[in-house]
């Protein structure tokens, strides 16, 4: 028998210590609700779950960001709605002023209200804010500029950037292989071929006043009682405005049997094919090969593949940029500068998961009504035309904001679904199974009590030595 080393007591103590450690961990997990409270509990699980926690918190913040973005756009769109109401009122006034029952004094009173509405439109453009950020003054727009003397391609207005992701810098557009593209959308009076109607001086300076789009050729007063037959032809431009009319001889070819083309207000019409009255519609556009380069001069880098496109009402859309032309479009290149002030909404948990929104300036200059006048019948009719264009500009901007709002609503739904699923995945790694932990705690608690009792018994074993002293 030995008394210096009580092996049984040491064994009982070791088991008691291990049981207490296990019980301590059970209590920690039960009190925190977490299976992993420190890296030692599950090193790999901790690393994975911490990455998931970053994503989860980022997703929740991205959801709030998207909601704030919607609020900003609703503020902008609400201001535009009021501008729309003023434009509609101005158009109503212009229609009123176009009536010659009004005297000069009457028109002057109408002009006063129009002038005040114009001032209010400018005021809204300058003062509309969200969180002190001005929204409609151009500071949230994507702007383009170029040197007017370098306009070799005869572009109309400035290039318009539709893709807010285009970064600020210098760009070059190259226009090549320009030809006229004609489609007869409504044949009549014998005119049914794409070669029957076209812009006379297409691609030259003389075509600068000719709009691209759908022209209407009105063939009226056809008379074949004499030889040659005659008809009155009137041309309406793509805006529906008459650009001129003429009585011409029709139905006869030249001495060589070739068709005869008659120029009427800049539009050539194959009058030799006309055999009756009718209304012809011809969509006259430009076809060209367009290339978008980044940089200027000799240091350019193509950022969009070349594409052969047909314009739509004189507008080419390529590489996120719109280019507007009239009938004097020419081959060549144009360097222009983009200044991108678009707002960036962070709608994802990671780097560069954002959406860029540009909100155009909405003053009377941008809307094209800064010189609006209704002081004469002609001025009032011109005002109606200009206000229609301004309403379309504003409608386009509002529609764009509305589309982005709908997009962000879907973004929010996706963020919520992703947040839910990722939280469930993180929970499976990090959270404790309370039923299992309680079962193990009960087991370890009983073992603690048993081990304590056995340690007490083991401590009593060396007392047997005392029996040898009797």
């Amino acid at each position: 028998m030995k008394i210096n080393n009580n092996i049984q007591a040491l064994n009982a103590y070791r088991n008691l210590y291990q049981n207490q450690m296990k019980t301590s961990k059970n209590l920690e997990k039960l009190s925190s609700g977490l299976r992993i409270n420190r890296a030692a509990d599950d090193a790999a699980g901790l690393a994975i779950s911490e990455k998931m926690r970053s994503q989860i918190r980022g997703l929740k913040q991205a959801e709030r960001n998207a909601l704030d973005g919607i609020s900003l756009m609703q503020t902008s769109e609400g201001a535009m709605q009021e501008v729309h109401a003023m434009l509609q009122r101005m158009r109503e006034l212009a229609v009123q002023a176009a009536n010659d029952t009004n005297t000069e004094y009457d028109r002057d009173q109408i002009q006063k209200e129009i002038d005040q509405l114009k001032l209010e439109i400018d005021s809204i453009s300058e003062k509309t804010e969200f969180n002190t950020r001005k929204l409609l003054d151009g500071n949230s727009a994507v702007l383009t500029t170029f040197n007017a003397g370098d306009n070799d391609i005869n572009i109309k207005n400035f290039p318009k950037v539709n893709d807010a992701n285009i970064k600020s810098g210098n760009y070059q557009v190259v226009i090549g292989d320009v030809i006229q593209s004609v489609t007869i959308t409504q044949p009549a009076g014998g005119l049914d071929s794409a070669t029957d109607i076209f812009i006379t001086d297409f691609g030259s300076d003389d075509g600068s006043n000719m709009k691209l789009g759908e022209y209407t050729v009105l063939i009226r007063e056809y008379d074949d009682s004499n030889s040659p037959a005659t008809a009155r032809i009137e041309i309406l431009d793509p805006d529906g405005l008459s650009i001129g009319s003429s009585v011409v001889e029709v139905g006869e070819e030249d001495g060589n049997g070739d068709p005869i083309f008659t120029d009427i207000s800049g539009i050539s019409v194959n009058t030799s094919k006309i055999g009756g009255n009718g209304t012809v519609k011809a969509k006259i556009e430009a076809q060209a090969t367009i290339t978008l380069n980044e940089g200027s001069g000799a240091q350019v880098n193509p950022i969009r593949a070349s594409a052969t496109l047909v314009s739509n009402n004189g507008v080419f859309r390529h590489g996120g940029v719109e280019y507007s032309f009239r009938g004097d479009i020419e081959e060549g290149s144009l360097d222009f500068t983009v200044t991108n002030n678009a707002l960036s909404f962070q709608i994802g948990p990671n780097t560069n998961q954002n959406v860029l929104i540009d909100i155009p300036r909405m003053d009377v200059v941008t809307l094209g009504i800064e010189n609006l006048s209704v002081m004469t019948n002609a001025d009032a009719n011109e005002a109606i035309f200009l206000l229609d264009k301004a309403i379309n500009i504003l409608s386009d901007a509002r529609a764009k904001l509305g589309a982005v709002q709908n997009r962000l609503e879907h973004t929010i739904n996706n963020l919520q679904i992703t947040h839910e699923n990722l939280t469930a995945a993180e929970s499976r790694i990090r959270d404790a199974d309370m039923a299992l932990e309680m079962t193990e705690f009960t087991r370890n608690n009983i073992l603690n009590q048993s081990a304590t009792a056995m340690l007490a018994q083991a401590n009593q074993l060396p007392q047997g030595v005392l029996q040898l002293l009797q």
Side-chain angles (χ1 to χ4, degrees), residues 8-9 12-13 448-461:
Q8 292 86 347
Y13 172 73
N448 277 332
Q449 297 177 41
S450 176
T452 300
M454 293 306 100
L455 179 59
Q457 293 295 324
N459 286 336
Q460 296 296 321
L461 289 178

Side-chain angles (χ1 to χ4, degrees), residues 232-469:
R232 182 174 63 85
I233 300 178
E234 183 178 9
I235 307 295
L236 307 183
D237 71 8
D239 293 319
L241 303 177
S242 176
I243 60 175
S245 65
S246 179
V247 174
V248 299
E249 295 180 352
V250 299
E252 289 194 354
E253 299 174 339
D254 66 8
N256 297 321
D258 295 325
I260 297 175
F261 288 88
T262 305
D263 178 78
I264 303 172
S265 304
I267 298 294
S268 290
V269 179
N270 186 355
T271 52
S272 60
K273 287 183 65 175
I274 294 177
N277 293 321
T279 299
V280 184
K281 291 186 180 294
K283 193 167 181 60
I284 305 177
E285 300 286 354
Q287 178 180 304
T289 300
I290 301 180
T291 306
L292 179 61
N293 299 323
E294 186 176 18
S296 60
Q299 304 297 321
V300 295
N301 175 43
I303 60 172
R304 293 290 188 277
S306 298
T308 299
L309 305 172
V310 175
S311 64
N312 183 24
N313 294 322
V315 176
F316 288 100
R317 294 178 177 86
H318 175 66
V321 185
E322 284 187 7
Y323 311 95
S324 299
F325 293 95
R326 288 182 178 269
D328 59 342
I329 177 175
E330 294 185 0
E331 298 179 5
S333 63
L334 172 72
D335 294 316
F336 62 96
T337 301
V338 173
T339 303
N340 192 333
N341 298 319
L343 303 176
S344 177
F345 299 153
Q346 181 71 22
I347 58 170
N350 302 319
T351 303
N352 293 328
Q353 291 183 339
N354 55 10
V355 59
L356 296 173
I357 306 299
D358 63 305
I359 304 174
R361 186 180 181 90
M362 279 299 155
D363 62 353
V364 294
V365 175
T366 304
L367 293 172
I369 57 172
E370 70 274 20
N371 298 318
L372 203 68
S373 172
V374 294
M375 294 305 297
T376 67
N377 179 281
D379 287 345
N381 277 280
E382 177 68 13
I384 295 171
F385 176 72
L386 293 175
L387 285 165
D388 282 339
K389 293 178 67 175
I391 289 170
N392 288 338
I393 291 172
L394 193 56
S395 296
D396 181 69
R398 289 184 65 185
K400 183 177 180 180
L401 286 179
V404 176
Q405 286 183 49
N406 290 338
R407 172 188 175 180
L408 288 185
E409 288 176 1
H410 289 290
T411 297
I412 291 169
N413 291 338
N414 181 60
L415 289 171
Q416 290 173 341
I417 293 170
T418 306
H419 176 269
E420 177 184 340
N421 291 330
L422 200 56
T423 300
E426 194 269 345
S427 175
R428 284 190 290 269
I429 296 173
R430 198 75 175 252
D431 289 350
D433 184 334
M434 301 299 283
L436 176 62
E437 291 299 330
M438 196 64 204
T439 300
E440 292 186 359
F441 170 75
T442 302
R443 170 179 172 273
N444 290 329
N445 195 30
I446 294 172
L447 287 173
N448 277 332
Q449 297 177 41
S450 176
T452 300
M454 293 306 100
L455 179 59
Q457 293 295 324
N459 286 336
Q460 296 296 321
L461 289 178
Q463 293 185 5
V465 176
L466 296 178
Q467 300 296 323
L468 299 175
L469 299 178

Side-chain angles (χ1 to χ4, degrees), residues 145-202:
T145 58
F146 66 88
N147 186 344
D150 295 334
N151 190 9
D152 296 333
I153 59 177
N154 294 329
I155 190 173
K156 175 191 171 188
N157 301 323
F158 295 102
K160 179 182 177 182
V161 177
N162 291 326
D163 183 1
N165 291 291
I166 292 181
K167 60 185 180 181
S168 299
N170 294 320
Y171 293 85
Q172 180 192 66
V173 59
V174 180
I175 305 293
D177 303 325
V178 178
I179 60 173
Q180 192 168 178
S181 174
V182 180
T183 303
I184 302 297
T185 56
Q186 179 177 301
L191 302 179
D192 56 6
S193 172
T195 59
D196 290 340
I197 302 171
F198 54 87
I199 294 175
T200 305
D201 297 310
F202 180 83

Side-chain angles (χ1 to χ4, degrees), residues 183-237:
T183 303
I184 302 297
T185 56
Q186 179 177 301
L191 302 179
D192 56 6
S193 172
T195 59
D196 290 340
I197 302 171
F198 54 87
I199 294 175
T200 305
D201 297 310
F202 180 83
S204 69
D205 291 340
D206 292 333
S208 60
N209 292 324
M210 303 305 296
K211 302 173 185 176
L212 295 176
E214 187 175 66
Y215 281 82
T216 301
V217 179
L218 302 176
I219 306 172
R220 300 290 185 265
E221 302 172 11
Y222 176 78
D223 183 3
D224 60 355
S225 61
N226 296 313
S227 181
T230 60
R232 182 174 63 85
I233 300 178
E234 183 178 9
I235 307 295
L236 307 183
D237 71 8

